[in-house]
Amino acid sequence: MTSLSYEFLKGFWKENPVLVLLLGMCPTLAVTSSAANGLGMGLATAFVLVGSNIVVSVISGIVPKKIRIPCYIVVIATFVTVVQLLMEAYAPPSLNNALGIFIPLIVVNCIVLGRAEAFASKNGVLRSMLDGLGMGCGFTLALVALGCVREFLTGGSLFDIKIITPWEFDFMLPSSAPGAFVILGCFLAAMNYLNMRKAVKSGKVYNPPEGFDCRHCSLCNLDKD
Amino acid sequence: MNLKKTENIIVLGIFLGIIGALSAGIMAYFAELTRKPIAEMQMSRTNKALKELLPDFDNQPSQDTITVKSNDEQKYPVKFYVAKKGAKVVGLAGEAYTMKGYGGELVAMAGLALDGRIRTVIITKQNETPGLGTVVTSRKYVTTIFNILGIGKKIDTSKLPPNPILDQFDGHAADKSDSWAQPWKVRKDGGNVNFVTGATVSSRAVTEVVFRIASTYMANKNEILNKFEGASTEKPSANSSRSNKQ
């Protein structure tokens, strides 16, 4: 059994949902055109993750195996609807406008269902909560980092504050979807490079982590249960 | 009976039904809880826009409204908010939409003087391409690092941020004496309105919707003004409830 702090901290680097697990690409690429959008999306997803992980770990003892996926989806959808209502009521209008359509789509974000199915349904409440919190924070950090780089390359600004004042005309590429792919690719390359260097220093060979891709999820093997 | 391993379809159905009912209850609770704040949020957004578009007023323009059909084939509804000082109408704001934006719906509000001259145009709802279409539609203060540190030029927050495309409508009216030929068109289509290269569709949509507001006001000027001019403070709310039926 791994320690509680590991369950929390793994989401930041070792099993970062965006940069290692490569889950939830739709919101990652779509909303990170500015750092503030990334932060809003990340926090909303983190809230849903923590809530759904707690509830799923509580009910996983009694949910019939045959219908566990629909049950989890209903739980997740409930949390997402609550987030959407709360954002409409209290979030700044500009953020609400920018995120608009992507908030309901958190329901189908692989991170949320992935953590519910792969972790929360097999672990206790406390561990699941920490896992959700760590994954949510890791997701938020990755989104903010991507958003910062994209926003800066677009117009020399960060969080809507212009850092380089003479930069008058925005670049199109970093703020559009193709640029998002390019920058995400650079992030992944940097991440792999750092991990590899670390492994070589300690005298090991670095292999991309096994079981961190879609194979950890048993959705494809439903009929074999 | 082991619930976890059951394959009885009726048990499964009932279980799923209970989960669904529980979550529906939670959602209903939150929907009720947030109904008022959401309505207030929308109200404050409209009021903020109206404050930017209208001259000084002492009534509630969001209550004193009239909706008329637009003066073209589409017959879109155009909503006018009326600003009054005392019993006198001092200005109006028109709100209209078009579906011809690059991202579909585009809603604009324009402040109008009583003679139909446009004072200011803002876009309240749009779906344009970020970085291209939004150049046409957005008014945004550029906050620089120097503003945060308190050195350099101060931002004048009493005025709206400039936008060369939206600002060019200021002072124009949809009547024959105006220097622009009717209907207003972008230069690419042989009109007088400047547009942004690469965002022609958005420019066209903005031009269309602003002209819709201006021309609808000109066509219905007397009807609108008669409805509100000289009326006491209680009467307009009765008027607005009638006009809201549309």
Side-chain angles (χ1 to χ4, degrees):
Chain A
M1 209 63 168
T2 48
S3 69
L4 286 177
S5 60
Y6 174 77
E7 303 294 5
F8 177 63
L9 291 174
K10 70 182 178 199
F12 285 85
W13 182 269
K14 210 162 173 229
E15 293 184 29
N16 188 297
V18 176
L19 301 175
V20 179
L21 305 184
L22 287 182
L23 292 173
M25 286 296 105
C26 154
T28 305
L29 298 173
V31 305
T32 54
S33 55
S34 79
N37 287 357
L39 185 66
M41 186 69 197
L43 290 180
T45 310
F47 175 83
V48 174
L49 253 172
V50 173
S52 69
N53 261 14
I54 292 173
V55 173
V56 165
S57 72
V58 169
I59 65 168
S60 65
I62 55 162
V63 174
K65 215 164 183 190
K66 284 270 164 198
I67 55 163
R68 63 183 197 286
I69 301 293
C71 287
Y72 297 165
I73 289 283
V74 170
V75 170
I76 294 164
T78 309
F79 276 104
V80 171
T81 312
V82 169
V83 167
Q84 196 186 2
L85 287 169
L86 290 176
M87 282 194 75
E88 257 173 59
Y90 301 110
S94 58
L95 183 69
N96 200 24
N97 268 352
L99 295 183
I101 185 174
F102 294 104
I103 294 293
L105 286 178
I106 296 176
V107 177
V108 288
N109 191 329
C110 322
I111 300 171
V112 187
L113 185 60
R115 291 330 283 179
E117 165 71 13
F119 193 91
S121 64
K122 295 169 189 145
N123 286 279
V125 176
L126 184 62
R127 273 170 190 281
S128 303
M129 193 189 79
L130 285 173
D131 176 77
L133 204 59
M135 285 287 163
C137 293
F139 186 66
T140 309
L141 279 181
L143 252 57
V144 171
L146 256 174
C148 283
V149 171
R150 286 181 67 187
E151 197 184 340
F152 188 78
L153 292 180
T154 304
S157 56
L158 282 178
F159 286 99
D160 289 334
I161 299 164
K162 236 185 181 66
I163 307 287
I164 302 176
T165 33
W167 196 328
E168 240 181 82
F169 295 100
D170 289 355
F171 272 144
M172 279 301 297
L173 181 67
S175 68
S176 56
F181 275 107
V182 172
I183 291 162
L184 181 69
C186 296
F187 265 68
L188 297 179
M191 186 110 181
N192 276 343
Y193 174 75
L194 287 177
N195 280 337
M196 215 181 290
R197 211 176 58 168
K198 214 167 121 197
V200 168
K201 261 192 188 157
S202 56
K204 279 181 268 179
V205 182
Y206 175 72
N207 287 318
E210 236 173 88
F212 282 173
D213 53 28
C214 87
R215 280 169 292 170
H216 75 99
C217 155
S218 51
L219 275 179
C220 311
N221 303 322
L222 276 183
D223 49 335
K224 288 170 199 151
D225 286 339
Chain B
M1 184 184 72
N2 190 342
L3 190 58
K4 199 147 164 85
K5 286 198 179 124
T6 183
E7 295 201 0
N8 184 338
I9 198 152
I10 296 168
V11 176
L12 293 181
I14 291 172
F15 191 91
L16 204 50
I18 292 170
I19 294 267
L22 280 177
S23 56
I26 294 169
M27 282 191 263
Y29 173 73
F30 271 92
E32 193 55 45
L33 198 72
T34 51
R35 182 184 297 164
K36 239 178 103 190
I38 289 175
E40 275 167 16
M41 194 74 144
Q42 278 163 349
M43 198 59 151
S44 74
R45 218 155 49 187
T46 314
N47 283 341
K48 194 170 156 258
L50 287 171
K51 219 173 222 155
E52 283 164 348
L53 293 175
L54 296 169
D56 261 357
F57 53 82
D58 54 10
N59 65 330
Q60 281 191 308
S62 56
Q63 307 282 319
D64 292 343
T65 62
I66 177 172
T67 308
V68 292
K69 280 199 179 120
S70 66
N71 184 33
D72 49 30
E73 310 92 74
Q74 281 91 4
K75 300 281 172 230
Y76 284 150
V78 182
K79 194 171 178 185
F80 287 98
Y81 300 85
V82 179
K84 300 205 292 186
K85 192 138 200 183
K88 225 173 120 48
V89 177
V90 288
L92 300 101
E95 184 183 35
Y97 70 90
T98 176
M99 299 308 286
K100 287 190 190 160
Y102 202 73
E105 194 182 7
L106 189 142
V107 184
M109 282 176 91
L112 296 163
L114 290 185
D115 59 355
R117 247 164 239 298
I118 288 175
R119 298 161 51 93
T120 327
V121 178
I122 56 171
I123 307 294
T124 49
K125 192 174 172 196
Q126 50 88 11
N127 250 330
E128 304 308 297
T129 320
L132 272 179
T134 50
V135 173
V136 179
T137 57
S138 76
R139 286 180 183 272
K140 206 172 177 189
Y141 291 112
V142 178
T143 319
T144 66
I145 188 80
F146 299 117
N147 297 129
I148 302 289
L149 297 173
I151 43 179
K153 260 195 289 181
K154 275 245 157 58
I155 297 174
D156 185 5
T157 42
S158 62
K159 271 189 292 182
L160 274 173
N163 176 313
I165 298 298
L166 297 180
D167 286 343
Q168 65 182 326
F169 295 105
D170 296 3
H172 285 281
D175 58 9
K176 294 218 167 63
S177 60
D178 195 81
S179 58
W180 284 359
Q182 293 188 56
W184 297 345
K185 278 180 186 160
V186 295
R187 279 185 198 281
K188 199 173 186 175
D189 302 336
N192 306 80
V193 183
N194 289 325
F195 65 102
V196 174
T197 310
T200 320
V201 175
S202 306
S203 308
R204 267 191 204 125
V206 169
T207 309
E208 182 199 308
V209 74
V210 173
F211 181 69
R212 177 168 297 144
I213 296 171
S215 63
T216 307
Y217 174 72
M218 279 320 219
N220 300 281
K221 191 173 167 185
N222 293 333
E223 187 197 337
I224 296 166
L225 289 182
N226 283 341
K227 200 159 195 174
F228 292 98
E229 193 74 65
S232 69
T233 36
E234 286 100 67
K235 248 187 172 172
S237 60
N239 279 337
S240 70
S241 67
R242 217 180 306 142
S243 62
N244 279 345
K245 269 182 214 154
Q246 223 167 350

